[in-house]
Amino acid sequence: MACRGRRPEHSGPPEVFYNKNEAGKYMRNSRMIDIQTKMAERALELLSLPEGQPCYLLDVGCGSGLSGDYLSDEGHYWVGIDISPDMLDAALDRDTEGDLLLGDMGQGIPFKPGSFDGCISISAVQWLCNANKKSDVPARRLYCFFSSLYSALARGARAVLQLYPENSEQLELITAQATKAGFTGGVVVDYPNSAKAKKFYLCLFSGPSSIVPKGLNECTDGGEERESTFTNERAPYRTARRRVVRKSRDWVLEKKERRRRQGKEVRPDTQYTGRKRKPRF
């Protein structure tokens, strides 16, 4: 875990930290783009949505729209909410397909009950654990967020929130407020033995308790996968999603077919579909 001085949350409020300069990094830095996209892919996998069915999703802390772009590529519709105007401006510059809303998740999610089929969030929830003003009470802001999110989700829907907890106490605070708001679920830990690749995903269920997915593990010699849960159910988890190489011909054809099912105008398939173009002079 990063030391205190290096954590973005300790640099000030998120709307100040994520300024134009920081937003530009999310548009130009290929490493940051790749990491955000992979975490969005994993979050969507953990949502376990119906195969081949477009869903209406919420992206909390959507930033410059990188995670939303992945949702669009997978055929889903989405709404993003973020507290940083500069990050949302970057999302508009990138022509993201989702609807964007400026808002503070610590003050609640302003949507009608049952609006969404699922929710993802990448690297945002831990910001609620810091008090940037005297009036900010982390436990209260977390509960406001989780209770309004619980209401905004359709019954039985999931929320998968990738986060960087500072310590075990902070993680307990977050999960306690989620439970208080009505959620069940648990924490999925991917690559627990890796200092760089380790990722935490809070997998929440609105409605009846369900099986908490297993975390990924880089070990292939029988090393244990880890997850913590605040339900009593544990069982192996298998994903039915077929892995297709991003930007390959099969990936392009699947994306075009999804858009046709959505009633969108799509160019006909040819022998050149998905073929890489030669660089221009």
Side-chain angles (χ1 to χ4, degrees):
M1 191 62 62
C3 65
R4 180 178 175 87
R6 295 177 60 188
R7 294 183 67 91
E9 308 94 84
H10 300 308
S11 302
E15 64 270 29
V16 175
F17 177 81
Y18 289 106
N19 53 27
K20 289 184 178 180
N21 181 58
E22 198 68 22
K25 296 178 182 178
Y26 283 83
M27 297 182 69
R28 299 186 300 268
N29 191 308
S30 59
R31 180 176 176 274
M32 293 179 73
I33 293 172
D34 183 61
I35 291 173
Q36 289 286 116
T37 302
K38 286 181 178 178
M39 289 192 294
E41 179 181 8
R42 177 61 170 151
L44 185 59
E45 181 180 282
L46 292 171
L47 275 185
S48 192
L49 297 171
E51 187 71 19
Q53 178 179 322
C55 294
Y56 191 51
L57 305 176
L58 175 64
D59 184 356
V60 176
C62 63
S64 62
L66 293 174
S67 49
D69 283 349
Y70 183 79
L71 298 180
S72 295
D73 288 344
E74 292 298 302
H76 301 296
Y77 303 99
W78 59 278
V79 175
I81 181 172
D82 200 278
I83 198 172
S84 167
D86 290 319
M87 291 292 274
L88 292 178
D89 284 342
L92 291 174
D93 290 341
R94 296 179 61 255
D95 293 326
T96 54
E97 295 185 19
D99 295 320
L100 304 174
L101 176 67
L102 179 66
D104 177 4
M105 61 181 178
Q107 295 182 358
I109 304 297
F111 295 100
K112 294 181 179 179
S115 296
F116 297 99
D117 302 312
C119 168
I120 71 166
S121 178
I122 307 299
S123 310
V125 177
Q126 71 272 3
W127 284 90
L128 294 178
C129 296
N130 291 277
N132 296 301
K133 298 179 294 186
K134 288 185 178 180
S135 58
D136 286 349
V137 179
R140 186 182 302 163
R141 283 171 58 77
L142 281 164
Y143 178 73
C144 185
F145 165 63
F146 282 121
S147 59
S148 59
L149 176 60
Y150 187 91
S151 174
L153 292 174
R155 291 290 72 85
R158 294 187 181 190
V160 177
L161 316 175
Q162 184 276 327
L163 68 160
Y164 291 106
E166 186 170 2
N167 47 48
S168 58
E169 289 78 14
Q170 191 178 88
L171 188 59
E172 288 175 6
L173 171 65
I174 293 171
T175 56
Q177 297 307 312
T179 305
K180 182 180 178 182
F183 283 109
T184 58
V187 179
V188 177
V189 184
D190 284 354
Y191 310 118
N193 301 316
S194 172
K196 292 185 177 181
K198 186 177 182 179
K199 295 290 184 296
F200 291 83
Y201 294 86
L202 184 59
C203 192
L204 302 175
F205 312 125
S206 64
S209 298
S210 187
I211 297 170
V212 178
K214 292 285 187 179
L216 301 178
N217 198 316
E218 68 271 32
C219 297
T220 57
D221 56 357
E224 291 186 357
E225 299 165 324
R226 292 180 51 195
E227 91 274 355
S228 64
T229 176
F230 33 94
T231 70
N232 294 320
E233 298 175 278
R234 297 189 181 212
Y237 174 79
R238 284 183 280 180
T239 177
R241 292 186 66 237
R242 184 169 67 90
R243 295 284 183 177
V244 178
V245 177
R246 189 173 172 81
K247 303 298 184 181
S248 66
R249 177 177 171 82
D250 288 342
W251 182 89
V252 172
L253 290 173
E254 285 190 5
K255 181 177 179 181
K256 292 176 71 174
E257 185 58 33
R258 285 196 301 270
R259 289 177 177 271
R260 291 190 183 100
R261 291 197 297 267
Q262 295 168 8
K264 297 181 179 179
E265 186 175 344
V266 180
R267 291 182 180 180
D269 299 335
T270 70
Q271 60 179 327
Y272 302 105
T273 299
R275 181 180 295 185
K276 291 185 178 180
R277 298 180 180 181
K278 294 181 179 180
R280 294 182 179 179
F281 290 100

